[in-house]
Amino acid sequence: MPRNPRYDILFEPVKIGPKTAKNRFFQVPHASGMTNAAPHVRAAFRGMKAEGGWGTICTGACSVDPSSDDSPFPFATMWDESDIRSHAVMTEAVHEHGALAGIELWHGGAVAMNRTSRIAPLSPSGVPWMATHVPFMSAQRPKIMDAADIRDLIRWHSDAAVRAERAGFDILYVYAGMGYLPYQFLLSDYNQRTDAYGGTVRNRVRLVDELIDAVREATHGRCAVALRISLQELRARPSDLAESEAHEVISLLKDAPDLFDVKMDYSASDCSPSRFTAEGSHEPVVDFVKTLTDKPVVGVGRFTAPDTMASMVRRGVLDLIGGARPSIADPFLPNKINEGREEDIRECIGCNICISSWHDGVWVRCTQNPTAGEEWRRGWHPEQVKRDGNGQVLVVGGGPAGLEAALTLGRRGYDVALAEARDDFGGRLLYETALPGLAQWRRVADYRLGQLRKMPNVSLYPASPLTAQDVAEFGAQHVVIATGARWGHQLCAANELPMPALDAPRIYTPDDLAKGVLPEGPVAVFDFDNYYLGSAIAEDLAAKSLPVTYITTAGAAAAWSFMTNEQPHIHAALARRGIACRTLEVVTGFDGETLRLSQIFSNERREIAARSLVIVGRRDGGSALYDELAAQNSPFSLHLTGDALAPGAIAHATYQAHKTAQSIGRAAAEIAPRRDAPFSVRALAPQHLAAK
Ligand code: ADP
Ligand code: SF4
């Protein structure tokens, strides 16, 4: 299909200082969890996006010195010569497809607590970066930088820039955002200095200006220099000289970098979940930048719709369409637009499992793209799979796992039959995506169904609840059981041991609500699953005008959703909907009128009135169908996958199903993962550590 002329504008080249990006698709720096210890994994992950048409591909944050040590979070380094080779593998993979390679030189300041290097963290004025979440808290406060520290910081950036150029990077970032050190100099709350680097906005901008100059001079103007800057707080601050401090800062720096990369200030607003934030949510904060500078501007906003992207350029908001999550979910997004295949885009659902991977300290994972992070280790490709399938496969269950298994097996060339008991495909998504804010998650099913319907070798059978006898009679060579998991009625004890179910009326699980049960109010939602669902159900019931109390064993609502940046938004949503939120409590009894609660540490007891109890707790996988088939001496190979194998987030189901589909009919050696290893790292030179 030819490209839609409406999108021609997205394929125009853009000059970025001495370099030219071949199009406007710009993969901005984003965390991947891939450190220098896994150079080939990282290169393949980034290179895949270049193959998919992104004109510029950047690393994630890359520390310029051991005084910026983010452990236990994963981060890349450009500390000395021994780091160059590991990055060069990535730039080669990117250049192979005609894309530019960018590196985000990074110093975390008071955000990076140097837990491994144990160097005193640096800050403009000794003010710690606010941390409301335990993983980001520290028992250490930063030191106040003196003049020598500032000189060091500038030198570290210059030295890292020289190495970065040698590693093959085209664009070198100075990073003044997200609480990191140069950003702290911009904000008066963190910068209370009385020297030339503090006080007026002009003084507070000085360090960033000097860093940009230093990076440019170090590479003699051969590389483009980008400034990544957070503008949310600055824009909220009035200025005597401009519309806001953000306007003043950009005006002062308007000619300094070759590219402005503009963003929000906090992970939860910058990488905001779709449950609470729409596509293009950064625009009201960053829309003014292009009015103040002639330099190109890139920004993000979970752009997945080509019309939104084209409009950003046409309306003069952005020159380059920044993508982090959309590039993970679909590394081939630009090529698909270029080929007039917009309907094939695997749209990001905004679930933020990718960011949770970084919080977990592991390589990036994606709900929509199960191949993300596995390009090198398992040789998976988001669009292609070896067409070696021969014979017929029956997939039972049409939830995320069954759909993914059917898609990958279909692409492998198998004749695939996908049977789903219900009238519609989507499994758990059918109910969950009807809850407040979760509609975009339906894309997990929509994308796969859209692809499957185009495949002549795939047959879809809705309204087909299969028995073991049905499966045996079908006669396929391979059978995949993806029948999902069930929510249990069991409670949990203060010591987190599972407790038996209560015998009382009106006790429900999410499965009951999915069948259409509307509880009587007041309703108590007891959540010890601790991810999104309990809070989403509480929101839904409150939206249906029921009085709702949300109770959790954890110290915060939806505690694990901190990992996906949802938690602050969830607390706000519960408050907005008038839902009482009780933390650190377990349900110990319920008789249909009164709910008994106990504080998990003090055992203090309380009672609240409730007519119904919804338990969002234990989820059990397993499959009676699988067990029955496994007990028979069947002539087909039998595979259990998705939530039926091990219940979890949708990302785990699509991943397991993809893995199952890749393994069928293949020898163990063919699917064995590869193990990456770092290039040899020399000990740091003594002079490098001298000044700490
Ligand atoms: P997963 O996340 O692993 O895909 P889901 O619970 O979302 O799990 O989806 C499982 C799907 O399997 C549901 O749509 C359910 O209706 C379907 N299913 C369960 N048992 C059968 C069966 N015996 N025959 C056909 N479909 C089934
Ligand atoms: Fe998008 Fe979710 Fe994939 Fe992240 S994990 S890229 S938010 S679909």
Side-chain angles (χ1 to χ4, degrees):
M1 284 269 288
R3 180 168 85 206
N4 185 328
R6 274 209 313 276
Y7 308 137
D8 286 352
I9 196 168
L10 299 173
F11 292 88
E12 291 168 353
V14 178
K15 209 164 156 7
I16 306 173
K19 306 284 179 175
T20 302
K22 67 175 178 180
N23 59 34
R24 297 185 191 268
F25 294 94
F26 192 108
Q27 185 248 275
V28 293
H30 72 78
S32 68
M34 295 162 190
T35 66
N36 291 23
H40 299 98
V41 168
R42 183 169 61 189
F45 172 68
R46 301 287 184 194
M48 188 62 76
K49 303 187 199 198
E51 185 184 330
W54 294 83
T56 306
I57 313 286
C58 302
T59 60
C62 184
S63 169
V64 294
D65 184 78
S67 60
S68 178
D69 157 16
D70 216 12
S71 54
F73 300 105
F75 61 100
T77 55
M78 192 56 107
W79 289 350
D80 62 21
E81 297 285 300
S82 62
D83 282 329
I84 294 176
R85 194 164 162 213
S86 142
H87 289 287
V89 188
M90 176 265 192
T91 61
E92 281 158 21
V94 166
H95 288 156
E96 201 181 315
H97 301 284
L100 297 179
I103 181 168
E104 185 178 54
L105 300 178
W106 164 75
H107 198 294
V111 177
M113 293 314 291
N114 301 342
R115 290 173 177 91
T116 301
S117 71
R118 301 204 64 180
I119 296 166
L122 297 175
S123 68
S125 304
V127 181
W129 187 246
M130 183 205 68
T132 47
H133 296 291
V134 174
F136 295 127
M137 290 176 191
S138 169
Q140 192 175 21
R141 295 288 169 256
K143 77 167 274 208
I144 300 172
M145 292 170 77
D146 59 23
D149 290 324
I150 291 180
R151 282 197 300 277
D152 281 345
L153 181 71
I154 293 169
R155 178 172 52 80
W156 296 330
H157 276 78
S158 312
D159 292 351
V162 171
R163 293 181 202 117
E165 187 187 17
R166 285 176 51 205
F169 285 103
D170 306 286
I171 304 175
L172 315 178
Y173 267 72
V174 168
Y175 191 6
M178 304 285 280
Y180 298 131
L181 188 50
Y183 171 83
Q184 289 174 19
F185 273 81
L186 296 178
L187 276 191
S188 55
D189 317 59
Y190 295 92
N191 180 353
Q192 295 156 10
R193 301 178 74 90
T194 51
D195 61 6
Y197 294 93
T200 61
V201 172
R202 183 175 286 279
N203 275 2
R204 282 185 263 138
V205 157
R206 189 180 310 280
L207 177 76
V208 172
D209 208 7
E210 289 179 3
L211 288 171
I212 293 170
D213 279 353
V215 167
R216 178 168 287 114
E217 277 167 29
T219 51
H220 303 283
R222 290 186 295 260
C223 294
V225 183
L227 171 64
R228 194 171 214 201
I229 186 163
S230 291
L231 296 169
Q232 195 179 350
E233 286 291 342
L234 287 166
R235 185 143 193 198
R237 287 160 201 239
S239 150
D240 295 336
L241 304 174
E243 204 178 311
S244 73
E245 287 205 351
H247 290 73
E248 208 184 330
V249 166
I250 296 294
S251 299
L252 288 165
L253 292 171
K254 68 185 173 60
D255 298 318
D258 299 310
L259 169 74
F260 282 92
D261 180 338
V262 291
K263 62 184 328 220
M264 308 289 265
D265 292 33
Y266 310 99
S267 195
S269 55
D270 193 57
C271 179
S272 189
S274 64
R275 181 170 162 191
F276 298 103
T277 314
E279 181 177 5
S281 63
H282 294 203
E283 186 177 335
V285 167
V286 305
D287 58 358
F288 71 96
V289 178
K290 264 187 67 62
T291 64
L292 298 178
T293 177
D294 296 330
K295 306 290 181 179
V297 177
V298 61
V300 292
R302 202 166 42 76
F303 297 122
T304 53
D307 280 315
T308 310
M309 301 176 199
S311 136
M312 285 285 157
V313 180
R314 286 210 180 88
R315 289 187 295 114
V317 182
L318 300 173
D319 298 292
L320 293 141
I321 301 303
R325 289 173 290 176
S327 74
I328 299 170
D330 197 342
F332 279 66
L333 183 149
N335 280 0
K336 288 175 183 175
I337 299 174
N338 197 27
E339 292 158 12
R341 297 195 292 123
E342 293 83 54
E343 80 282 0
D344 290 337
I345 295 174
R346 198 186 308 99
E347 291 179 299
C348 166
I349 67 167
C351 63
N352 285 356
I353 282 293
C354 47
I355 193 78
S356 81
S357 324
W358 180 72
H359 290 144
D360 268 337
V362 297
W363 302 341
V364 71
R365 299 157 169 190
C366 174
T367 303
Q368 272 287 54
N369 174 12
T371 70
E374 299 289 5
E375 299 82 357
W376 189 87
R377 178 166 69 166
R378 294 188 187 274
W380 292 354
H381 190 287
E383 301 299 315
Q384 297 154 20
V385 60
K386 196 163 151 201
R387 231 184 135 73
D388 59 354
N390 186 10
Q392 195 178 32
V393 188
L394 172 63
V395 179
V396 187
L403 290 165
E404 174 60 31
L407 178 59
T408 303
L409 288 161
R411 285 179 172 165
R412 285 189 58 199
Y414 283 104
D415 280 332
V416 178
L418 174 60
E420 163 55 48
R422 284 183 252 181
D423 294 345
D424 209 352
F425 293 91
R428 61 187 292 185
L429 293 166
L430 295 177
Y431 168 62
E432 294 182 18
T433 59
L435 297 173
L438 291 174
Q440 285 192 21
W441 292 28
R442 190 70 178 251
R443 292 170 172 182
V444 172
D446 291 346
Y447 163 73
R448 287 168 176 80
L449 279 169
Q451 299 295 304
L452 287 167
R453 289 196 172 113
K454 289 198 263 185
M455 297 168 83
N457 55 329
V458 174
S459 308
L460 301 177
Y461 298 100
S464 303
L466 299 192
T467 62
Q469 194 183 342
D470 296 331
V471 173
E473 284 172 7
F474 194 84
Q477 283 89 41
H478 307 282
V479 173
V480 176
I481 305 293
T483 48
R486 289 146 307 281
W487 291 94
H489 287 80
Q490 302 93 331
L491 294 176
C492 107
N495 55 11
E496 295 176 16
L497 287 175
M499 296 283 284
L502 292 171
D503 184 17
R506 295 183 296 281
I507 298 183
Y508 306 111
T509 70
D511 292 330
D512 298 318
L513 304 189
K515 286 183 194 133
V517 170
L518 182 64
E520 280 178 42
V523 189
V525 176
F526 179 40
D527 181 9
F528 59 95
D529 171 61
N530 292 322
Y531 188 18
Y532 61 92
L533 195 61
S535 66
I537 286 174
E539 272 203 81
D540 186 50
L541 296 174
K544 291 174 173 149
S545 303
L546 292 167
V548 179
T549 301
Y550 169 93
I551 302 147
T552 177
T553 49
W560 194 81
S561 73
F562 152 73
M563 307 294 266
T564 53
N565 287 348
E566 288 165 288
Q567 194 193 60
H569 300 281
I570 288 174
H571 268 276
L574 295 181
R576 214 168 33 241
R577 293 195 191 262
I579 298 167
C581 178
R582 306 183 68 107
T583 58
L584 297 175
E585 289 185 338
V586 281
V587 171
T588 55
F590 179 61
D591 59 8
E593 299 292 336
T594 304
L595 188 74
R596 286 195 295 283
L597 302 168
S598 172
Q599 215 276 355
I600 60 168
F601 299 127
S602 66
N603 293 329
E604 201 181 332
R605 288 169 197 278
R606 292 189 183 87
E607 290 186 351
I608 62 169
R611 291 279 297 162
S612 313
L613 171 63
V614 177
I615 300 170
V616 186
R618 197 167 127 181
R619 233 172 135 223
D620 293 310
S623 163
L625 178 61
Y626 176 87
D627 294 343
E628 204 178 330
L629 291 166
Q632 298 167 6
N633 195 9
S634 304
F636 46 81
S637 76
L638 181 64
H639 310 265
L640 186 66
T641 200
D643 285 327
L645 176 74
I650 298 164
H652 297 305
T654 52
Y655 180 86
Q656 288 302 341
H658 189 88
K659 194 168 156 203
T660 301
Q662 288 269 8
S663 70
I664 286 176
R666 286 179 174 160
E670 210 182 335
I671 54 171
R674 287 196 284 180
R675 187 172 171 190
D676 206 357
F679 295 114
S680 69
V681 177
R682 284 200 325 251
L684 290 173
Q687 71 273 15
H688 205 83
L689 295 170
K692 313 292 173 341

